[in-house]
Amino acid sequence: MPTIKDVAKRAGVAVSTASYALSGSSKIKGATREKVLLAAKELNYRKNGLAMDLKKSKTKTIALILSDLSGPFYSELIRGVQELALEKEYDLIVCGSHGDESSTAAKFLRETRTDGVILLAHNIKSEFIRESAREGFPIIVLDRHLSGDPNIISINVNNRKGGYHATDYLIQSGKKSVGLISGPSNSADSQDRVAGYKEALEAHGITPLSKWIINGKFTQEGGYQATKMLIHQGDMPEAVFYANDEMAIGGLEALKEHNIRVPEDISIIGFDDIQLTPYLAPPLTTMRQPKYEIGKLAAHIIFQVLEGDQVNEHYTFDTELIKRESVRIGK
Amino acid sequence: MPTIKDVAKRAGVAVSTASYALSGSSKIKGATREKVLLAAKELNYRKNGLAMDLKKSKTKTIALILSDLSGPFYSELIRGVQELALEKEYDLIVCGSHGDESSTAAKFLRETRTDGVILLAHNIKSEFIRESAREGFPIIVLDRHLSGDPNIISINVNNRKGGYHATDYLIQSGKKSVGLISGPSNSADSQDRVAGYKEALEAHGITPLSKWIINGKFTQEGGYQATKMLIHQGDMPEAVFYANDEMAIGGLEALKEHNIRVPEDISIIGFDDIQLTPYLAPPLTTMRQPKYEIGKLAAHIIFQVLEGDQVNEHYTFDTELIKRESVRIGK
DNA sequence: CTGTTAGCGCTTTCAC
DNA sequence: GTGAAAGCGCTAACAG
């Protein structure tokens, strides 16, 4: 590969001249400028972006780290981040955290490769995130609440309140019993939703029954399995709150297999409001997370930190009940 | 930020020693090794990955460039690429081509930042891709057929055949008339599907009617608008072939608004088989693109090129008809 | 305007 | 084993 040196030589100028000309500086005028550009073209020259970033000690890039690149959850979030990045003329790259501490994610967290990162990857340990924190490298975490390090900022959704709201809505709609399919117990998000669920039950004088609280993985398969268990147990609640939409989809499947109709026989509610939620049969009632807004804020904060502004250590969003057709009103 | 130099100094060794120790070389044994590691920890040292890549002239990273990071189309594709990358211990980053030639995508194509790229971004001009090609930098294009440059490899789906198959299926199912909602005319994919559609019609002695061929953008909104137009035109065909699933979703919406039932009143078929396709009401019959396989092959080829193997310039996959419930059998 | 030059932070010969 | 030093490709003083 030809370097800028080669270009300079061929154009018969100094490297600095070539550099200026190539980056469109007004320092270099007509004739010389053309010469350089021509030489670059003739040599099929490509700038080495790595060298540039190294030299400038600045990448103008932020990374969004997702636990599952192929998940259905993120598109709105990405859009939020992307929009702001574009506006600031920053680049956004997204990478996955598959493989834990040996993953691409780990590399981008630990090493200097971008100017900041936004993290939504439950499989990365908090410990690891803390270790990766350093001055001038903002880390925004979206799926937990991490405090104590000024370079780590958390943006969360009020999961407890959301869980409460979802459960309360089910009860207000006339359901006497509501089950819960929760996420994995190592997920802070899930734990908070469970807490909200229990609170709502108790607020209505209902005692949470452990037989109606089943936990599984935050996936379609997890929801399917958990629902199967619930069904085989024999005694079904009148409604069930799924700790996320993906699980609810799996639940819908299991329910369908057993000819249990939604919402005629059982009402269900999800959490997240992922993209495909309105297309389900029936369209799923769910607690919407303002993902676009979260993404936008996350990016916004990164830029603030990068520009030396003061920011809070923690931000919270509320969820919003999106009523669709999976909850039947009245017993 | 402390550098490896600082670490070396603090540990009282030479930089080279620090470098070896830090990267776990067996050259450095017990005592010194510990000293270095300790110093690194005390200084909260982070390796600068950019410097390393520059020095090594190798990034061990491939980029997947997508026109729309938040689109629903890609998850299977990503999974395919990701899996193979993981296996080869390469990192995968994905970025968007929003903003054309000024985008992140352009930067990753034009500059040396990764060892290769996989491209599925119709908004990047072929001209630009050609210009970005260079020795030792494999570019795999997934949405068009580019020939003539040994560093550009195309992987395509047989769109013509797929379009033919879709249309033929509709006709075989008893439909006497089939409309087409196509994608933008600058999309090679769309053009080929249109060609297949016309061929199928003609093979059955049906003359393609331009009033029944409407083109729009490859989005839900595009499909919605195009379908509205078709409806307002007054004379509806018995079936319509949407050039992609997203458009079909928009079409479903428009149809529903006008109380036209699918498949009772009209049959529809899509193209792609995106993730949410089975959840639609009704589940959408569509031509599946083997996205996972394509992703896997794309990654495979990149590694082959990188390892100096000989590869073809062009690969083709066939689509597969996935029968669901949006096409009614019999008139 | 243009050329010379000093690094950005790292790896890797090569000599000891 | 360990250290000195070259250099990956680029930018940005600085001097002319």
Side-chain angles (χ1 to χ4, degrees):
Chain A
M1 285 291 303
T3 72
I4 197 169
K5 228 167 163 173
D6 301 316
V7 175
K9 188 180 295 171
R10 177 173 251 264
V13 300
V15 269
S16 58
T17 308
S19 175
Y20 285 131
L22 253 13
S23 60
S25 158
S26 57
K27 285 189 162 184
I28 313 297
K29 60 140 215 241
T32 346
R33 199 167 162 284
E34 295 308 323
K35 258 195 313 190
V36 175
L37 263 27
L38 180 66
K41 181 150 245 169
E42 289 174 342
L43 291 171
N44 195 24
Y45 166 75
R46 306 279 147 218
K47 149 182 290 187
N48 185 319
L50 269 37
M52 178 182 107
D53 288 350
L54 173 61
K55 175 62 194 174
K56 291 196 166 174
S57 301
K58 199 164 193 304
T59 63
K60 289 210 89 177
T61 302
I62 62 181
L64 172 60
I65 299 179
L66 266 21
S67 48
D68 179 11
L69 272 183
S70 50
F73 176 69
Y74 310 110
S75 60
E76 288 293 280
L77 176 77
I78 295 180
R79 203 163 59 79
V81 178
Q82 174 88 281
E83 269 184 28
L84 204 58
L86 205 64
E87 201 175 289
K88 289 278 185 180
E89 302 197 293
Y90 263 66
D91 291 305
L92 170 68
I93 65 180
V94 4
C95 58
S97 62
H98 212 90
D100 283 34
E101 254 86 282
S102 73
S103 65
T104 305
K107 186 160 142 184
F108 278 82
L109 261 178
R110 208 190 257 300
E111 302 179 2
T112 300
R113 286 183 179 276
T114 62
D115 295 348
V117 348
I118 300 172
L119 206 57
L120 179 54
H122 59 261
N123 61 333
I124 303 239
K125 298 195 200 75
S126 296
E127 179 61 13
F128 188 84
I129 300 175
R130 282 226 173 73
E131 280 174 13
S132 303
R134 67 200 100 124
E135 194 49 37
F137 182 68
I139 300 179
I140 318 289
V141 292
L142 265 30
D143 67 336
R144 70 195 85 183
H145 185 8
L146 241 45
S147 59
D149 190 307
N151 302 300
I152 304 180
I153 290 116
S154 317
I155 301 179
N156 298 117
V157 124
N158 195 329
N159 285 299
R160 210 212 81 262
K161 200 162 156 190
Y164 185 100
H165 195 163
T167 311
D168 183 65
Y169 174 65
L170 257 12
I171 298 172
Q172 300 278 7
S173 303
K175 310 298 169 295
K176 297 279 173 261
S177 53
V178 1
L180 168 67
I181 308 288
S182 79
S185 46
N186 66 1
S187 156
D189 283 351
S190 178
Q191 288 318 296
D192 291 346
R193 290 170 201 173
V194 172
Y197 159 83
K198 288 183 177 165
E199 270 176 49
L201 248 36
E202 278 157 4
H204 286 276
I206 306 175
T207 308
L209 260 34
S210 63
K211 69 167 174 178
W212 280 342
I213 303 182
I214 300 183
N215 74 334
K217 294 171 79 173
F218 256 158
T219 61
Q220 195 168 326
E221 179 62 19
Y224 178 84
Q225 297 295 357
T227 305
K228 280 262 185 192
M229 268 187 60
L230 191 63
I231 295 171
H232 284 128
Q233 215 174 240
D235 186 18
M236 293 286 278
E238 295 176 9
V240 7
F241 167 29
Y242 286 88
N244 82 0
D245 288 347
E246 282 186 77
M247 298 183 87
I249 294 175
L252 236 24
E253 234 175 278
L255 259 12
K256 193 173 178 185
E257 277 180 22
H258 288 262
N259 292 314
I260 301 173
R261 294 165 306 164
V262 180
E264 291 82 354
D265 302 326
I266 193 168
S267 289
I268 74 173
I269 192 168
F271 206 105
D272 283 350
D273 194 29
I274 61 176
Q275 209 179 7
L276 58 78
T277 259
Y279 304 108
L280 297 170
L284 187 68
T285 292
T286 192
M287 298 305 301
R288 172 175 185 270
Q289 289 204 44
K291 297 174 292 295
Y292 171 78
E293 291 81 353
I294 291 175
K296 205 137 192 177
L297 178 65
H300 186 68
I301 292 173
I302 292 219
F303 296 129
Q304 286 199 276
V305 173
L306 256 20
E307 286 161 13
D309 293 358
Q310 201 62 45
V311 297
N312 293 341
E313 208 187 51
H314 187 217
Y315 297 80
T316 307
F317 280 89
D318 273 336
T319 52
E320 177 193 357
L321 174 64
I322 305 289
K323 296 181 188 174
R324 280 193 273 250
E325 301 165 27
S326 64
V327 174
R328 182 184 187 178
I329 307 304
K331 159 54 207 162
Chain B
M1 286 289 305
T3 71
I4 197 170
K5 224 166 164 174
D6 301 317
V7 174
K9 189 179 295 171
R10 178 173 252 265
V13 300
V15 265
S16 57
T17 309
S19 174
Y20 285 132
L22 253 13
S23 60
S25 158
S26 57
K27 285 188 161 182
I28 313 298
K29 59 139 217 240
T32 345
R33 202 170 159 282
E34 295 307 325
K35 258 196 311 190
V36 174
L37 264 24
L38 180 66
K41 179 150 244 165
E42 288 173 343
L43 291 171
N44 194 24
Y45 166 75
R46 305 278 149 222
K47 148 182 292 188
N48 185 318
L50 269 36
M52 175 182 112
D53 288 350
L54 173 61
K55 177 63 195 174
K56 290 195 167 176
S57 301
K58 200 163 190 308
T59 64
K60 289 210 94 178
T61 302
I62 63 181
L64 172 59
I65 299 179
L66 266 21
S67 49
D68 180 12
L69 273 183
S70 49
F73 176 69
Y74 311 110
S75 59
E76 287 292 280
L77 176 74
I78 295 179
R79 202 162 58 79
V81 178
Q82 175 88 283
E83 269 184 30
L84 204 58
L86 204 65
E87 201 175 289
K88 288 278 184 179
E89 301 197 297
Y90 263 66
D91 291 305
L92 171 68
I93 65 181
V94 4
C95 57
S97 63
H98 212 91
D100 284 33
E101 255 85 283
S102 72
S103 64
T104 305
K107 186 160 142 183
F108 278 82
L109 260 178
R110 209 190 258 302
E111 303 179 0
T112 302
R113 285 182 180 277
T114 62
D115 295 348
V117 349
I118 300 172
L119 206 57
L120 179 53
H122 59 262
N123 61 332
I124 303 238
K125 298 194 201 76
S126 296
E127 179 62 13
F128 187 84
I129 300 175
R130 282 227 174 72
E131 280 172 14
S132 303
R134 65 201 100 125
E135 195 48 39
F137 182 68
I139 300 179
I140 317 288
V141 292
L142 265 30
D143 68 335
R144 71 195 82 182
H145 185 8
L146 241 44
S147 59
D149 191 306
N151 303 299
I152 303 180
I153 289 115
S154 317
I155 302 180
N156 299 117
V157 124
N158 195 330
N159 285 299
R160 211 211 81 263
K161 199 163 157 189
Y164 186 99
H165 195 163
T167 310
D168 183 65
Y169 173 66
L170 256 13
I171 299 171
Q172 300 277 8
S173 304
K175 310 299 168 295
K176 296 280 173 256
S177 54
V178 359
L180 166 68
I181 308 287
S182 79
S185 46
N186 65 1
S187 156
D189 282 351
S190 178
Q191 288 318 297
D192 290 346
R193 289 169 202 173
V194 172
Y197 158 83
K198 288 183 178 167
E199 269 177 49
L201 247 38
E202 279 157 4
H204 286 276
I206 306 175
T207 309
L209 262 33
S210 62
K211 70 166 175 180
W212 281 341
I213 303 182
I214 300 183
N215 73 333
K217 294 170 79 173
F218 256 158
T219 60
Q220 195 167 326
E221 178 62 18
Y224 178 83
Q225 298 295 357
T227 305
K228 280 264 184 190
M229 269 185 61
L230 192 63
I231 294 171
H232 284 127
Q233 216 173 239
D235 186 19
M236 294 284 280
E238 295 176 9
V240 5
F241 167 29
Y242 285 88
N244 82 359
D245 288 347
E246 282 186 78
M247 298 185 87
I249 293 174
L252 236 25
E253 234 174 276
L255 260 10
K256 193 173 179 185
E257 276 180 21
H258 288 263
N259 292 313
I260 301 172
R261 294 164 306 164
V262 179
E264 292 82 354
D265 302 325
I266 194 168
S267 289
I268 73 173
I269 192 169
F271 206 105
D272 283 351
D273 194 30
I274 61 177
Q275 209 178 7
L276 59 77
T277 258
Y279 304 108
L280 297 170
L284 187 68
T285 293
T286 192
M287 299 304 302
R288 174 175 184 269
Q289 289 204 45
K291 297 174 290 294
Y292 171 78
E293 290 82 353
I294 291 176
K296 206 139 193 177
L297 177 64
H300 186 69
I301 293 173
I302 291 219
F303 296 129
Q304 286 200 276
V305 173
L306 257 20
E307 286 162 13
D309 292 359
Q310 200 62 47
V311 298
N312 294 340
E313 208 186 51
H314 188 218
Y315 298 80
T316 308
F317 281 90
D318 274 334
T319 52
E320 179 194 358
L321 173 64
I322 305 289
K323 296 181 189 176
R324 281 193 271 250
E325 301 165 28
S326 65
V327 174
R328 182 183 186 181
I329 306 303
K331 160 55 203 162

